[in-house]
Amino acid sequence: MINSSLRKLSAALAARKISATELATLFLDRIEKLNPGLNAYITLDRAKTLAQAQAADASGKVGAQDTPLAGIPLAHKDIFCTKGWRTSCGSRMLENFVAPYDAHVVEKLAAAGMVTLGKLNMDEFAMGSSNESSYFGPVKNPWDTARVPGGSSGGSAAAIAARLAPVATGTDTGGSIRQPAALCGLTGLKPTYGVVSRYGMIAFASSLDQAGPMAKSAEDCALLLNAMAGFDPRDSTSLERPAEDYARDLEQPLAGLRIGLPKEFFGAGMDADVRAVVDAALAEYRRLGATTVEVSLPNSGLSVPAYYVIAPAEASSNLSRFDGVRYGYRAPEYGDLNDMYSKSRAQGFGAEVKRRILIGTYVLSHGYYDAYYLKAQKIRRLIAADFQRAFENCDVIMGPTSPSVAFAFGAKSADPVQMYLSDIYTISTNLAGLPGMSLPCGFGAHDMPVGLQIIGSWFGEAKMLQAAHQYQKVTDWHTRMPENLK
Ligand code: GLN
């Protein structure tokens, strides 16, 4: 059961081979046993989970045509507001915050009949690539607990990799779904900006943040995305488009698919072990009937610097709401009002969050706005134009998700720039608003998983998922799991 796809779980539930309550119990027991060694979940509430499962069993939704996910458990990244559950965003600032409402995504998945197993650890306010910035301590990579799971959705990735949840939600501002998916051997998808509502998702960099599914396979991602996507008037950037079935093209063969390989992604910077595995995956795609063509993204080298101006600028504004007054942490001792603000923020935020607020405030300040923020916005425009040109010659773009396999704890935490470079291949898609995904394509150094990244054109999710699913039909990387956790 713990290895089953969503379709298999759905069929088992429909055939009454197992109830939603039994399925939730199976996962809760496994979490109880294995989570202490991984730190993937930071909030669990067995009674709440079981009440949801019992409600699903009694609802008549299980086995119904229009609710194929009913009765299936999942877990949420702790960035999503969940009514009645603690929602900490990985921060001391929200250590005791219980959300008074559900995020749109949480609401939609609950309406689909899914059962919440708990809340997943993450980098503080989604800032990080290794989960080492969480106030609740790092998440361990289930493939090797001396290594990071990636970030910021590291809890989501570790939970699925260890089979502590069949699927999970994640968010991706600069790579936080795709990079941890790659480092933990999973499939994860960041949709086109605006496809999934950000309502109730704690804001990091609003023009980049996007929620998406994390799962073992592309098929599971498609089914979960079907339930997550959709217009929401409460998010002003939510797109009003007709509903799509993201699983519709999964079974279409790949003959004739044109894969663009950006020459900038295949130069120096990618580790040799990652390169070998990615090359082998591309050879498999050619066997499946796809053709590869070189494309160029000339401004992609500017994506990390542009991102580290724009994302902190937006973060510094978004995080100004945490002032110790309305909700969240308040310093126990302070003098006047200003002292209360500064002590609450100094004690409530961790080092990386403070660094981003400082950078953001600086680049937005009167004397530096033109030199940094405005320039970064212009580069963002050029990056989007690069992709637009590239997609004239290809249907999808492929390359590595991460330049290396999962690194050891502490390897990059002393040097923020090294850490920021972990997202060198993922960040440009967020700047352009494009969809991107990662799927497992083999193992590199230290027997750690390697991810293949697929970038689609705007609203190209179904095509990317088709490309990933066809590959997963002829390979079994996505079914592998760490030996010691079987
Ligand atoms: N690692 C990047 C950062 O630290 C991206 C994070 C994310 O996508 N949330 O900002």
Side-chain angles (χ1 to χ4, degrees):
M1 266 314 158
I2 58 159
N3 276 317
S4 298
S5 66
L6 292 183
R7 283 208 205 279
K8 283 217 173 99
L9 290 175
S10 188
L13 286 160
R16 304 283 183 255
K17 285 192 184 131
I18 192 166
S19 69
T21 311
E22 286 161 351
L23 192 56
T25 307
L26 189 81
F27 278 99
L28 287 174
D29 290 347
R30 196 169 156 85
I31 293 166
E32 202 168 284
K33 198 167 95 202
L34 296 174
N35 192 58
L38 295 170
N39 202 24
Y41 282 86
I42 48 178
T43 303
L44 290 159
D45 187 333
R46 185 175 268 264
K48 264 201 177 61
T49 300
L50 292 178
Q52 278 185 20
Q54 281 149 11
D57 279 327
S59 68
K61 283 183 181 171
V62 174
Q65 274 273 296
D66 56 340
T67 49
L69 302 179
I72 297 176
L74 93 163
H76 291 294
K77 183 175 181 178
D78 208 21
I79 198 167
F80 292 99
C81 286
T82 36
K83 188 173 180 176
W85 297 73
R86 178 173 73 161
T87 300
S88 75
C89 217
S91 182
R92 183 184 195 192
M93 188 53 91
L94 294 175
E95 187 179 3
N96 299 310
F97 176 67
V98 177
Y101 65 92
D102 279 331
H104 185 246
V105 162
V106 172
E107 220 172 67
K108 291 211 42 145
L109 293 169
M114 296 193 85
V115 174
T116 305
L117 289 169
K119 305 294 295 286
L120 297 163
N121 204 345
M122 56 182 281
D123 277 303
E124 186 176 10
F125 285 101
M127 298 173 189
S129 305
S130 65
N131 235 286
E132 288 164 291
S133 83
S134 169
Y135 174 64
F136 300 93
V139 178
K140 311 279 171 64
N141 190 317
W143 292 93
D144 177 353
T145 51
R147 292 175 184 274
V148 305
S152 64
S153 311
S156 308
I160 304 167
R163 308 302 190 246
L164 305 185
V167 289
T169 53
T171 65
D172 190 312
T173 304
S176 282
I177 287 177
R178 290 161 286 161
Q179 187 253 13
L183 271 41
C184 290
L186 303 172
T187 308
L189 185 145
K190 177 203 100 72
T192 306
Y193 184 78
V195 161
V196 175
S197 167
R198 292 181 294 105
Y199 177 78
M201 191 176 115
I202 296 172
F204 162 14
S206 310
S207 76
L208 300 160
D209 296 342
Q210 192 61 197
M214 297 178 74
K216 296 184 283 292
S217 68
E219 182 187 51
D220 284 1
C221 281
L223 298 177
L224 200 61
L225 185 58
N226 277 349
M228 291 172 79
F231 176 63
D232 173 17
R234 297 168 300 187
D235 169 3
S236 63
T237 59
S238 168
L239 296 167
E240 207 164 353
R241 308 177 73 244
E244 256 188 74
D245 175 7
Y246 293 101
R248 67 181 186 270
D249 292 334
L250 291 180
E251 299 305 335
Q252 301 295 321
L254 292 186
L257 181 82
R258 295 169 308 161
I259 300 172
L261 306 176
K263 63 171 193 251
E264 294 80 5
F265 284 17
F266 288 86
M270 185 181 0
D271 285 0
D273 58 315
V274 172
R275 168 99 206 211
V277 171
V278 167
D279 282 345
L282 293 171
E284 187 67 59
Y285 271 99
R286 287 187 206 100
R287 277 195 287 281
L288 286 166
T291 54
T292 51
V293 36
E294 186 179 277
V295 295
S296 177
L297 302 169
N299 293 292
S300 60
L302 298 173
S303 62
V304 170
Y307 173 90
Y308 279 98
V309 170
I310 293 169
E314 295 184 19
S316 71
S317 164
N318 276 323
L319 270 56
S320 66
R321 76 193 63 186
F322 302 106
D323 57 5
V325 177
R326 286 162 291 189
Y327 46 75
Y329 180 82
R330 178 182 294 182
E333 282 170 37
Y334 50 86
D336 61 5
L337 181 65
N338 268 327
D339 194 45
M340 193 272 281
Y341 289 154
S342 59
K343 286 214 170 78
S344 300
R345 287 167 68 81
Q347 294 164 18
F349 289 137
E352 184 60 28
V353 173
K354 285 178 193 160
R355 180 181 294 125
R356 308 267 179 128
I357 292 173
L358 288 172
I359 297 172
T361 312
Y362 180 82
V363 299
L364 288 174
S365 61
H366 183 67
Y368 296 100
Y369 182 93
D370 287 357
Y372 293 105
Y373 185 71
L374 199 61
K375 186 155 274 166
Q377 292 290 13
K378 288 178 181 167
I379 291 169
R380 183 175 191 176
R381 182 79 224 164
L382 295 176
I383 288 171
D386 283 354
F387 276 112
Q388 203 156 7
R389 261 192 307 277
F391 280 119
E392 285 167 10
N393 298 312
C394 62
D395 305 305
V396 292
I397 287 174
M398 290 191 191
T401 305
S402 163
S404 70
V405 296
F407 44 91
F409 285 104
K412 300 192 182 183
S413 37
D415 183 349
V417 174
Q418 276 311 309
M419 188 69 89
Y420 298 167
L421 288 171
S422 314
D423 297 304
I424 184 134
Y425 302 123
T426 52
I427 274 180
S428 51
T429 44
N430 299 74
L431 289 168
L434 289 166
M437 69 183 292
S438 182
L439 63 152
C441 65
F443 292 83
H446 314 287
D447 290 326
M448 295 302 284
V450 172
L452 176 74
Q453 185 177 203
I454 308 180
I455 300 171
S457 189
W458 292 274
F459 308 112
E461 285 85 356
K463 182 155 284 304
M464 296 154 60
L465 287 161
Q466 172 202 354
H469 179 68
Q470 290 297 314
Y471 175 83
Q472 290 182 336
K473 278 174 68 172
V474 296
T475 57
D476 69 351
W477 307 115
H478 63 291
T479 65
R480 308 282 185 99
M481 69 172 290
E483 271 310 313
N484 59 324
L485 297 178
K486 274 182 182 160

